[in-house]
Amino acid sequence: MNTARLALAKVPGVAIVDGPSRPMIEAAGRCPEIISFSIADPHDRASRLTAAQLRVVHLALAGRGVLLGQPVDVGPFGVLRLAFGMRDRRSDQLAAGLDIAVGVLSDILARPDTWNAAESALPVPADRTVELVHA
């Protein structure tokens, strides 16, 4: 999902984190189905948020209708994950959902004062929910 990688890479503070299997997946002519990304600490741009710190961002995203994989540790920092399945690759709604998700992520990252659990408790209309993780 190169479109998703490019869209996420344009968000200030976001860095794509390639997994160890990426070269093998690309050599086989396939696109990675999981895109992991880290987020810069808003108070120290040279540092990345830990998985524990990303939980707050994850909740804020969910509160705005963007459902991503839960944060995981990858050493000294954490990552959030976008996961794609076959139905996503065939879906015309993927581009629209990705635009909404990137817009919400950009908005949240621009306002770290909104990163609190209270925001995640806000009800989200069903037609505004963007699920980018599938079991």
Side-chain angles (χ1 to χ4, degrees):
M1 305 287 355
N2 287 330
T3 303
R5 288 175 60 84
L6 293 172
L8 282 169
K10 291 179 183 177
V11 177
V14 168
I16 304 297
V17 178
D18 289 327
S21 62
R22 183 170 172 77
M24 292 184 297
I25 292 169
E26 288 181 339
R30 296 181 18 223
C31 290
E33 295 178 354
I34 298 174
I35 300 171
S36 300
F37 61 97
S38 64
I39 296 176
D41 183 329
H43 305 294
D44 177 10
R45 289 292 190 185
S47 297
R48 301 266 143 204
L49 297 177
T50 65
Q53 292 168 316
L54 283 172
R55 282 187 186 89
V56 178
V57 176
H58 183 259
L59 289 172
L61 286 164
R64 299 269 304 271
V66 177
L67 308 177
L68 302 178
Q70 292 185 8
V72 294
D73 275 317
V74 292
F77 59 90
V79 296
L80 290 171
R81 297 159 294 135
L82 281 175
F84 299 93
M86 287 307 293
R87 74 176 177 179
D88 295 316
R89 292 173 189 221
R90 296 180 183 147
S91 172
D92 295 335
Q93 295 178 339
L94 179 60
L98 186 58
D99 286 344
I100 292 169
V102 167
V104 170
L105 178 61
S106 297
D107 182 51
I108 287 171
L109 295 184
R111 300 179 309 123
D113 57 304
T114 65
W115 300 5
N116 61 56
E119 185 167 340
S120 69
L122 297 174
V124 178
D127 63 337
R128 294 288 300 157
T129 299
V130 180
E131 183 175 351
L132 295 174
V133 175
H134 301 288

